């Protein structure tokens, strides 16, 4: 009964209207940005993202731009790339992968807008945390002036947000049971204890851990997927053709696969693509607000970097692994991360299953930690820069870990339905922000690309463009 209700609500929210809005918004923003974050200036974006991984960055902020991006990628590169892609293909067929790519390419511009908003409307807590921060509530208050709505939103985010992490735990316990036969209760307990130990150290410890773990694990997983592609290299062109063909025509039933319509492919491809890269959900606002940068739009290059690595690279590796090994048709009883584990077992035997189980565990671990940071910002907003904020944050850590430990046995379908519902709500709020603040977004975009950056290239030293708090801005304007 509950599962039917959740799936019905998720289907309604992720029906044709949401698909049209997301794709339409991504296309509109891409056109307004002149495709700067899609198909142009790849060299610049690469130099300012992966090319500056070990630099602290110029300007104001709490952590380096790369550290902030790793915290963001802890949310994006994770179980969504493994279990989410598997679920999309099982429900929407191979054509769902194509719509993941579409949502990713257009989502680069949406993610860039989120990053600009986070940098523009961020605040600095000096009394309780010594940290730059922003989230949806800060934008709602500082950009729109909706104080009551912002408070309500913050409470909803930190109350409901942790329950979406149960998706991560379900994937971990399923993969570890599939590969090693580890009882789920032990796996869930280990995950909870180690995650809590990390988040207890705050942003700086979280960022330090993410900087080290996320790039290494992503690289190892990509190499494992590439090995499957090399094993089946002759079938790769056919798999790519199947993905494109299935995106525009129904996919017939095969083996244990029940078949899928074009609508299914679009619905699950876009929804899972969104969950994977977070473009449009507002998480980019949160993760990148703390970044040290000389201009908000420079940090927005990670809108390209994150989505490219997440959706175009990692999700494609998972999808091709499932299609080339025929796992999605040969293992009808499996779904989510367990299906991808089966695909790696087909290619590499038991060592492949062991590797993927460990990869899923690490990815889920980093995602739970990254998600905590997002939820914590809502707690920070609710309590303000006060002593209560410090106490409330510590207590919240215990509440946050409850779903991760308790819901490990829940069904994947129900967990993904709950996640889809919450993601849809976040999308609607984020689109509201982008639409109402687009004048400011494009003002900053033009300022960076046509004033600030050319001045830098001429050898000049233009002042850093940074924002502290809205109150600081008002005081400056009053003085002027």
């Amino acid at each position: 009964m509950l599962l039917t209700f959740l799936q019905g609500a998720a289907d309604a929210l992720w029906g044709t209207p949401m698909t049209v809005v997301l794709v339409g918004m991504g296309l509109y923003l891409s056109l307004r940005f002149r495709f700067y974050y899609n198909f142009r200036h790849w060299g610049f974006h690469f130099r300012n993202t992966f090319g500056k991984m070990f630099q602290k960055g110029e300007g104001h902020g709490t952590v380096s731009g790369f550290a902030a991006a790793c915290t963001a990628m802890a949310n994006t590169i994770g179980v969504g790339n493994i279990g989410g892609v598997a679920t999309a293909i099982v429900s929407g067929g191979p054509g769902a992968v194509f719509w993941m790519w579409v949502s990713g390419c257009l989502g680069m511009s949406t993610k860039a807008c989120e990053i600009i908003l986070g940098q523009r409307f961020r605040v600095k807590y000096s009394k309780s945390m010594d940290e730059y921060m922003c989230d949806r509530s800060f934008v709602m208050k500082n950009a729109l002036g909706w104080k009551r709505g912002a408070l309500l939103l913050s409470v909803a985010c930190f109350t409901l947000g942790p329950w979406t992490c149960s998706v991560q735990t379900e994937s971990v316990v399923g993969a570890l049971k599939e590969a090693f036969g580890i009882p789920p209760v032990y796996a869930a307990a280990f995950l909870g204890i180690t995650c809590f130990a990390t988040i207890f150290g705050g942003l700086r410890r979280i960022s330090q851990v993410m900087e080290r773990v996320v790039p290494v694990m992503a690289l190892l997983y990509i190499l494992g997927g590439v090995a499957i592609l090399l094993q089946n290299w002759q079938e790769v062109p056919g798999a790519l053709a199947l993905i494109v063909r299935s995106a525009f025509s129904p996919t017939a039933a095969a083996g244990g696969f029940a078949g899928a319509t074009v609508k299914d492919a679009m619905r699950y491809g876009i929804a899972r693509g969104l969950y994977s890269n977070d473009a449009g959900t507002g998480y980019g606002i949160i993760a990148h607000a703390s970044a040290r940068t000389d201009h908000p739009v420079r940090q927005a290059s990670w809108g390209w970097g994150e989505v490219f690595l997440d959706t175009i690279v990692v999700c494609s590796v998972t999808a091709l692994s499932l299609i080339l090994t025929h796992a999605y048709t040969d293992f009808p009883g499996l779904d989510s991360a367990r299906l991808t584990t089966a695909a790696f077992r087909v290619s590499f035997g038991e060592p492949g299953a062991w590797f993927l189980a460990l990869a899923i565990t690490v990815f889920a671990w980093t995602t739970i930690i990254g998600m905590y940071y997002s939820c914590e910002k809502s707690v920070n907003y609710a309590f303000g820069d006060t002593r209560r904020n410090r106490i409330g944050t510590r207590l919240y850590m215990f509440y946050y870990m409850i779903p991760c430990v308790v819901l490990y046995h829940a069904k994947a379908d129900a967990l993904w339905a709950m996640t889809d519902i919450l993601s849809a709500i976040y999308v609607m709020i984020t689109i509201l922000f982008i639409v109402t603040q687009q004048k400011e977004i494009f003002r900053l975009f033009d300022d960076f690309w046509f004033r600030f950056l050319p001045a830098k290239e001429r050898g000049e030293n233009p002042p850093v463009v940074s924002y502290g708090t809205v109150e600081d801005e008002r005081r400056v304007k009053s003085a002027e």
Side-chain angles (χ1 to χ4, degrees), residues 16 18 28 30 42 46 51 90 97 135 153 201 238 241 247 262 344 348 372 383 385 389 413 435 448:
T16 302
M18 180 66 81
Y28 167 74
S30 297
W42 278 33
F46 186 87
V90 167
V97 181
D135 81 336
L153 177 60
V262 174
F344 272 68
F348 307 115
Y372 166 78
F383 286 101
D385 190 12
N389 175 49
D413 289 345
V435 170
F448 177 74

Side-chain angles (χ1 to χ4, degrees), residues 114-132:
E114 294 179 36
I115 296 171
I116 293 171
L117 286 173
Q119 283 275 326
R120 173 62 181 84
F121 295 106
R122 69 182 185 177
V123 303
K124 184 178 182 183
Y125 276 19
S126 302
K127 300 175 183 177
S128 59
M129 302 183 73
D130 187 28
E131 180 184 325
Y132 282 89

Side-chain angles (χ1 to χ4, degrees), residues 14 18 21-23 25-26 29 76 103-104 106-115 117 136 270-271 273-286 303 306-307 422-434:
W14 283 103
M18 180 66 81
V21 167
L22 272 176
V23 175
M25 177 59 69
L29 293 172
T76 58
S103 70
L106 296 179
M108 292 173 178
S109 295
T110 310
K111 178 64 75 73
C113 287
E114 294 179 36
I115 296 171
L117 286 173
R136 304 174 191 88
I270 292 175
L274 171 69
Y275 179 76
S276 173
N277 59 49
D278 282 338
T281 60
Y283 287 120
I285 293 173
I286 304 164
E306 285 177 26
V307 178
L422 197 57
S423 295
I425 296 171
Y426 287 158
V427 166
M428 289 185 277
I429 293 171
T430 303
I431 288 177
L432 171 67
F433 292 158
I434 293 174

Side-chain angles (χ1 to χ4, degrees), residues 111-457:
K111 178 64 75 73
C113 287
E114 294 179 36
I115 296 171
I116 293 171
L117 286 173
Q119 283 275 326
R120 173 62 181 84
F121 295 106
R122 69 182 185 177
V123 303
K124 184 178 182 183
Y125 276 19
S126 302
K127 300 175 183 177
S128 59
M129 302 183 73
D130 187 28
E131 180 184 325
Y132 282 89
M133 67 181 70
C134 191
D135 81 336
R136 304 174 191 88
S137 299
F138 286 103
V139 176
M140 185 170 285
K141 174 194 172 187
N142 296 339
L144 302 180
W146 298 352
K147 294 182 180 180
R148 292 182 180 177
L151 180 60
L152 179 63
L153 177 60
S154 69
V155 173
C157 286
F158 72 65
T159 301
L160 300 176
W163 297 88
T164 64
C165 284
S166 52
V167 171
Q168 314 298 325
T169 310
E170 182 275 333
S171 296
V172 169
V173 299
L176 291 178
K177 183 178 180 180
E178 181 78 14
F180 302 108
I182 296 176
V185 65
Y186 295 151
F190 175 78
L191 195 65
I193 292 170
T194 53
C195 285
F196 184 84
T198 304
I199 65 179
F200 195 78
L203 171 61
R204 288 174 177 80
R205 180 186 293 175
I206 291 172
S207 298
Q208 289 171 358
V209 171
M210 297 303 103
E211 276 185 296
R212 290 165 174 78
V213 175
V214 172
V216 173
M217 201 63 241
L219 178 61
L220 290 176
Y221 179 72
I222 291 169
L223 291 175
V226 168
I228 294 179
L229 269 63
L230 292 176
Q231 279 185 346
N232 304 275
W233 65 271
Q234 291 179 316
E235 299 179 39
V236 171
L240 293 173
L242 175 65
I243 289 171
V244 176
R245 184 171 64 251
S246 302
F248 300 98
S249 59
T251 307
F257 177 63
T261 65
V262 174
K263 185 178 180 180
D264 291 332
M266 293 181 67
R267 179 253 191 271
Y268 287 101
I270 292 175
R272 294 293 172 264
L274 171 69
Y275 179 76
S276 173
N277 59 49
D278 282 338
T281 60
Y283 287 120
I285 293 173
I286 304 164
H288 290 272
S290 62
R292 188 181 303 112
T293 183
D294 59 358
H295 197 290
V297 177
R298 187 184 297 279
Q299 186 66 17
S301 284
W302 279 106
W304 170 87
E306 285 177 26
V307 178
F308 178 82
L309 180 61
D310 176 273
T311 306
I312 307 303
V313 178
V314 181
C315 283
S316 298
V317 165
T318 301
L320 289 172
S321 299
L322 293 169
I323 294 171
L324 291 171
T325 60
H326 307 286
Y328 77 104
T329 59
D330 293 346
F331 298 93
L334 300 182
D335 194 2
S336 192
R338 297 184 68 185
L339 183 61
T340 311
T341 303
F344 272 68
R345 179 183 281 119
V346 168
S347 292
F348 307 115
E350 286 305 312
W354 300 339
F355 165 77
L356 195 69
L358 293 175
I360 290 170
T361 300
V362 176
F363 280 146
W365 183 76
T366 57
T367 300
I368 290 171
I369 294 169
M371 184 69 73
Y372 166 78
Y373 176 74
S374 300
C375 293
E376 183 193 81
K377 297 309 106 183
S378 295
V379 176
N380 299 152
Y381 178 87
F383 286 101
D385 190 12
T386 64
R387 182 172 176 272
R388 290 176 301 171
N389 175 49
R390 193 159 49 241
I391 297 172
T393 300
R394 292 301 186 192
L395 294 175
Y396 180 71
M397 293 177 186
F398 293 94
Y399 169 77
Y400 179 82
M401 296 309 306
I402 291 174
C404 302
V405 178
V406 172
L407 290 184
Y408 65 86
H409 60 283
K411 290 185 177 181
D413 289 345
L415 296 177
W416 280 110
M418 284 176 17
T419 301
D420 283 348
I421 292 170
L422 197 57
S423 295
I425 296 171
Y426 287 158
V427 166
M428 289 185 277
I429 293 171
T430 303
I431 288 177
L432 171 67
F433 292 158
I434 293 174
V435 170
T436 57
Q437 300 304 309
Q438 59 180 311
K439 183 177 180 180
E440 182 68 359
I441 291 171
F442 292 115
R443 181 190 72 79
L444 288 167
F445 172 81
D446 290 337
D447 178 72
F448 177 74
W449 287 100
F450 305 114
R451 181 196 66 84
F452 188 85
L453 187 60
K456 282 277 190 180
E457 292 173 345

